[in-house]
Amino acid sequence: MLIQKNIKKDSFMRFSNSFIYTSKEAPSDATLPSHIYLIRGGFIQGIGAGLYNFLPLGKRVLEKVRAIAKEELDSAGCQEVELSFVTPSELWMESGRFEKYGKELLRFKDRKDAEFVLGPTHEEMMVNLVRQYVKSYKQLPLNLYQIKTKFRDEIRPRFGLMRGREFLMKDGYSFHKDEADMVENGFNKMKDTYSKIFTRLGLDFRIVDADSGAIGGSGSKEFMVLADSGEDTIVVCKSCDYAANIEAAKRSPTKAPIAKEGEEVEMTPGLFNTPNISTIEDLCKFFHIDAYYTIKAVAKKALYDDGVEKLVLFFVRGDSDLEETKACNSVEANELIDISEEELIEAGLVPGFMGPIGLQEDIIYKIDSELKGQKTLIAGANKKDYHAIDVQIPDYGAFFADLVAVSEGDCCSSCGGSLYHTKGIEVGHIFQLGTKYSEPLKAEFLDENGKRQPFVMGTYGIGISRLLAAIIEQNHDERGPIWTKATAPFDIEIIVSNIKKDDELNLGDKLYSQLKELNIETLIDDRKERFGFKIKDYELLGIPYCIIVGKKIADGLVEIVDRRSLEKEEISIDQVVSRVKELVG
RNA sequence: CGGAGUGUAGCGCAGUCUGGUAGCGCACCUGGUUUGGGACCAGGGGGUCGAAGGUUCGAGUCCUUUCACUCCGACCA
């Protein structure tokens, strides 16, 4: 009762007694505009590595994003649930991810010594929930989601809300009787729904082919907000609509450099003495040959469950780069790490002179698919100071895999057009999961023939809190963020230039009440500050529009500022409200 | 995980080398002036100097240990 008494109905929207604190100075570690402005504008407060408090302004934006996601998901037939954040580790052991997920999974014990994890994603919990209630194909399809805090103990949290350890994520899971239904009523439906969500949020985004990562599964697409500061590299085709995360990008194989007339590359098979020639660059100079005709060796240590480590070798064409995620997937490792020269020597390998031919039998290796059946290549001879000439790669065998990183200027595998790189922020990811979790967790139903079948699943995520950062990365200027209409903490702000002038304060208050009547979310800056101070703050809050009630009142005018263009429009007092209605829409 | 660095008032920092009563700017409080692009004057409050131990008459400063945080990298032999 006491608390209620103290809260005026409209108190929150009055700057003078709101919990909004802006700052002229940014935290010294912040480099990204989104990080700087979120802190300076008083949207969030950093509280530890990758941990943030959401203050009233930030919370309002977060709720807007959440509400839009919820509306679209609900209208697509999804149902919201909320699963326990602390999850018993048994479920994670059942799915096999207790080990696989690695150190990002925060584990701890309760007073009875029972082991738990903080949910980094909730496939296990959701499958567990559904398998207890859904027993028949008649109950399918089903699409459940939640919007809930997640915790991932990231190696290196950074960039504010972009890569936090604790963050708000929408995670959804769909259950189907078969693959076709999953693709149509799960995956594709979510693809459309996500597009609607990001469009409503006012974002410029691309849907790209993606790697499936630790979640596992087959087909997957990422929703990328295009921004220079994005952590992901996206490969985009200039000529067609092909777009992919570099971790999954494809290209058509590189072509041999055009030989000069009358010249053809010929090689005499055999070993060639190449003292101290251990890099591709040196090799090309030595033989006067293009890197296209060489094979590059990359050694890594692959980490598997239960601490198993294996040395692995990857071979790609000398003019190409290894894509680590692809390489990791090709050997089904949890992670690849660097390996020292000493370790290579210990394993009987010759750093600088490693090649695919004549390796010891116990070495695990993969060769890039583009090299399949290729001839006239130079590769390390697995012997110090020797290279093998005219190496021929067979066109059969299980040791081929797509390993190369697509570079700018490579050719599109769909249309042959030129590919280029751009940066993106991953804000959504949809997967065709199949039975990856339903099988180990024995989540089954009875089909039309009374036969037990595992659910065919899809899983879908949106980084809700990351979206705040993504919106700003795409929408800001040197003065602060520029929220999109759908995400701004308020529709409009009213600045009363000088509250000591009764006519200004009264008009501000009057407009404020009128806008409230119209359900337009309004913040009135009625603080005892000077005009310059308030307009700077307005720009730092990034609210789409601002009404300045100030000295033009004498001419019967106020001004409306457009945050994006920073243009001021003078308008007579009796027309303001209808004009605002138009603008805010 | 490897490398580098930083912990001093709510925030941003100086002081540490060369030990001797803890400082500056912003923010905050009081009073006054000012009021259309982050005002000014005067006065004021606020710190176990990340933690623990050691050296010393005396430690923010030197030594040891530890914790936390940040940045860069994790790429081809």
Side-chain angles (χ1 to χ4, degrees), chain A residues 188-205:
Chain A
N188 287 342
K189 197 171 190 180
M190 282 303 106
K191 192 170 138 192
D192 292 345
T193 306
Y194 275 31
S195 297
K196 280 185 198 157
I197 292 170
F198 296 125
T199 303
R200 267 185 73 183
L201 291 173
L203 288 164
D204 182 16
F205 66 96

Side-chain angles (χ1 to χ4, degrees), chain A residues 113-128:
Chain A
D113 236 22
E115 206 162 13
F116 291 88
V117 306
L118 282 189
T121 169
H122 281 191
E123 279 80 6
E124 282 81 357
M125 288 292 281
M126 199 65 91
V127 170
N128 182 51

Side-chain angles (χ1 to χ4, degrees), chain A residues 350-564:
Chain A
V350 193
F353 301 92
M354 296 181 293
I357 307 298
L359 276 174
Q360 302 105 291
E361 287 198 347
D362 57 331
I363 302 280
I364 299 170
Y365 68 98
K366 291 284 171 184
I367 299 175
D368 182 58
S369 314
E370 288 184 21
L371 288 169
K372 195 180 273 192
Q374 295 286 303
K375 300 172 199 170
T376 56
L377 293 164
I378 297 178
N382 297 309
K383 184 177 172 189
K384 178 133 182 75
D385 293 340
Y386 281 91
H387 274 85
I389 311 302
D390 197 22
V391 169
Q392 309 219 355
I393 306 289
D395 60 0
Y396 54 87
F399 40 74
F400 290 106
D402 175 19
L403 299 175
V404 294
V406 175
S407 306
E408 295 206 77
D410 286 349
C411 294
C412 175
S413 60
S414 326
C415 76
S418 182
L419 296 170
Y420 67 97
H421 288 176
T422 183
K423 291 286 180 181
I425 302 165
E426 183 191 342
V427 293
H429 201 161
I430 56 177
F431 293 89
Q432 299 179 21
L433 257 190
T435 57
K436 189 175 163 74
Y437 293 91
S438 48
E439 266 184 64
L441 291 166
K442 298 198 174 51
E444 297 167 331
F445 65 96
L446 293 181
D447 68 11
E448 292 92 327
N449 306 312
K451 252 185 90 181
R452 293 163 75 92
Q453 300 282 359
F455 295 112
V456 178
M457 292 177 59
T459 179
Y460 320 97
I462 296 178
I464 302 285
S465 49
R466 175 181 283 180
L467 271 165
L468 304 213
I471 292 161
I472 296 181
E473 287 306 321
Q474 206 173 64
N475 301 280
H476 67 269
D477 59 18
E478 68 290 341
R479 304 183 184 204
I482 305 169
W483 295 106
T484 59
K485 283 188 192 179
T487 60
F490 292 94
D491 296 322
I492 190 160
E493 174 173 321
I494 298 170
I495 291 182
V496 177
S497 180
N498 184 347
I499 61 159
K500 284 198 178 162
K501 294 196 172 148
D502 286 342
D503 53 345
E504 292 185 16
L505 187 58
N506 291 340
L507 178 57
D509 272 341
K510 189 177 149 203
L511 292 174
Y512 178 55
S513 329
Q514 287 175 336
L515 293 175
K516 266 182 61 183
E517 284 303 311
L518 293 168
N519 226 4
I520 292 172
E521 294 181 311
T522 310
L523 173 70
I524 181 166
D525 194 342
D526 55 350
R527 292 175 299 173
K528 201 179 130 194
E529 296 286 351
R530 293 157 68 96
F531 175 77
F533 188 90
K534 293 185 192 180
I535 191 91
K536 288 284 182 197
D537 262 359
Y538 161 71
E539 285 159 357
L540 187 55
L541 296 193
I543 296 168
Y545 300 101
C546 174
I547 303 172
I548 300 173
V549 179
K551 63 185 181 187
K552 297 229 165 79
I553 211 170
D555 309 323
L557 300 173
V558 294
E559 290 154 285
I560 296 178
V561 181
D562 180 316
R563 174 63 187 86
R564 196 169 284 272

